Structure formats: structure tokens, C-alpha cells
Amino acid sequence: AQSVTQPDIHITVSEGASLELRCNYSYGATPYLFWYVQSPGQGLQLLLKYFSGDTLVQGIKGFEAEFKRSQSSFNLRKPSVHWSDAAEYFCAVGADGGSQGNLIFGKGTKLSVKP
Amino acid sequence: GAGVSQTPSNKVTEKGKYVELRCDPISGHTALYWYRQSLGQGPEFLIYFQGTGAADDSGLPNDRFFAVRPEGSVSTLKIQRTERGDSAVYLCASSSMLPGDTQYFGPGTRLTVL
């Protein structure tokens, strides 16, 4: 069965520092992968998604993620973190490998930003 | 509307009561999803509609949970005989059927069962 692991429950970075949030997935074929962000009291907002093609995906708010099949990873990166990036980040994989159907989410990584 | 809306935003009920949670998807979106997010966890899939029919209800935890989408737009998640373990944020999402389209999430309904 498909699954998503986010090894880091909580990460703290300084404002202006770089960020990498880890995501590992378990899926037999080429997965559909997503990163969502959830701010307190807000709904989930899509940052970026990977379906096929270029393995380096650009998203909103300056985020990018790289799909590495050999490592079953889809890590999220940002070169310089802003205080407004403090939120919870969820990695997800399409359950049936397609773009429709339900998503399977990781448990999330909470990002704190210190001034 | 501009986005997915969910009502109520908060619902407090007593153990054993019946509750209904409403989701209004983005206009024109044929796919609608319900997820449940417990504290400290990621969202967990409950049920998925294509139009009026449930395409996949494998995530519903038991027969106390039921969802409908009678006209292929608004959906209602119904929980009978609520239990304290049902307390969570219930999220709704919608998407088009275009390949690669995104699921857009609503703000959620926080259900508290006392």
C-alpha cells in the first residue's frame, strides 16, 4: 500500500536560512506527489505537485521540490525562509497513482522560524 | 464561489448525537473529497464522489458515517451516534476531472464531541 513518511515532526530555522523538508513515499510505479501548506486556522494550500517530466518542480512562494526515484523522495526546499513561512507542511501521494482519487498524506512537519 | 466552503466552521455536540457537516465545492468541480484530520496527524481520506455517486468510500471508518451529494454539487457528511473519538477537523476538497488538476481544500469543520 502507498504511504508517505515525513521524518521530521518539527523543524526550527532562522529567518533567511535555507530550508529542506524531507518526504519519502512508498509506491510501486511513478507516483503523483504533492506538497501542501497549512497555516493555523487555514485550509490546505497546494505549494507544488509532480506528475511527470522535469524532476525539479517549482512552486509558489519560492518553494521547489525534487523528485528522486532512486531514493523514493520528494524533498521540499526554499533558499531563504521568511517569518511568514511558519506553518505545517504536508507531503502527499495520489493513492491510485493518478491525479484523481484520494491523497495519502504524511503526518506533517511543523516549521518554526526564529528571527 | 471563489473557493471551497464548509459549514459550520465549528461544531460542538454531545456523545450520541447526530451531526451534519456541509461542503460547498468550487463551481463546476465534479470530484469532491472528504478527509478527517486528527490532532497532530495528516488528513486521512474518508470518501470521494464523482458527480452524485461515491466513487470510493473505503475510508469511512464504520457505518455511523455516511455522505451524500444528491445533485452533484453540495455534499453533506453525516455522523450518527457521535463518539468522543470522532472529534477532529473534517476537510472537504474538490477538483475538476482534468488530468493533473489539483484538489482544492476548504477551511474545515472542527467537530468536538463532549
Side-chain angles (χ1 to χ4, degrees):
Chain A
Q2 298 91 334
S3 65
V4 174
T5 302
Q6 293 181 248
D8 304 304
I9 296 173
H10 189 187
I11 284 181
T12 300
V13 299
S14 298
E15 191 168 17
S18 64
L19 170 71
E20 183 169 31
L21 301 181
R22 296 183 291 166
C23 172
N24 292 98
Y25 66 89
S26 172
Y27 185 72
T30 300
Y32 284 66
L33 294 162
F34 308 80
W35 274 100
Y36 282 85
V37 61
Q38 187 176 42
S39 299
Q42 303 293 314
L44 288 158
Q45 181 183 21
L46 181 73
L47 289 174
L48 47 78
K49 59 187 178 184
Y50 171 78
F51 289 157
S52 64
D54 194 345
T55 56
L56 185 61
V57 181
Q58 301 297 320
I60 62 171
K61 304 184 180 186
F63 286 93
E64 66 178 27
E66 186 171 12
F67 170 60
K68 292 185 177 180
R69 184 190 303 276
S70 61
Q71 298 176 19
S72 297
S73 69
F74 189 56
N75 294 349
L76 182 71
R77 301 193 295 247
K78 186 169 185 178
S80 178
V81 169
H82 188 262
W83 64 267
S84 61
D85 293 325
E88 189 139 27
Y89 292 80
F90 293 93
C91 181
V93 62
D96 65 356
S99 60
Q100 301 302 323
N102 61 294
L103 300 177
I104 295 173
F105 286 85
K107 293 187 176 183
T109 298
K110 183 177 180 180
L111 174 65
S112 297
V113 180
K114 57 183 181 181
Chain B
V4 178
S5 61
Q6 293 185 246
T7 54
S9 54
N10 278 284
K11 176 70 177 178
V12 180
T13 191
E14 294 180 343
K15 180 175 179 296
K17 299 290 187 182
Y18 168 83
V19 297
E20 289 189 351
L21 311 179
R22 175 188 167 108
C23 172
D24 202 335
I26 292 172
S27 178
H29 278 185
T30 54
L32 186 146
Y33 310 80
W34 284 99
Y35 294 83
R36 178 169 69 174
Q37 186 175 18
S38 300
L39 195 63
Q41 302 294 315
E44 293 179 308
F45 169 73
L46 295 176
I47 186 170
Y48 156 48
F49 287 90
Q50 285 280 23
T52 60
D56 182 355
D57 64 357
S58 62
L60 295 177
N62 52 59
D63 61 5
R64 295 187 298 106
F65 288 75
F66 189 69
V68 295
R69 195 185 185 200
E71 298 179 357
S73 178
V74 170
S75 176
T76 305
L77 179 66
K78 308 180 180 194
I79 310 174
Q80 299 177 319
R81 305 183 303 279
T82 52
E83 299 177 357
R84 292 193 179 87
D86 299 335
S87 297
V89 175
Y90 289 81
L91 298 168
C92 177
S94 71
S95 72
S96 75
M97 287 304 296
L98 295 174
D101 194 23
T102 301
Q103 290 186 27
Y104 296 89
F105 282 80
T109 294
R110 182 175 297 279
L111 175 65
T112 303
V113 182
L114 301 177

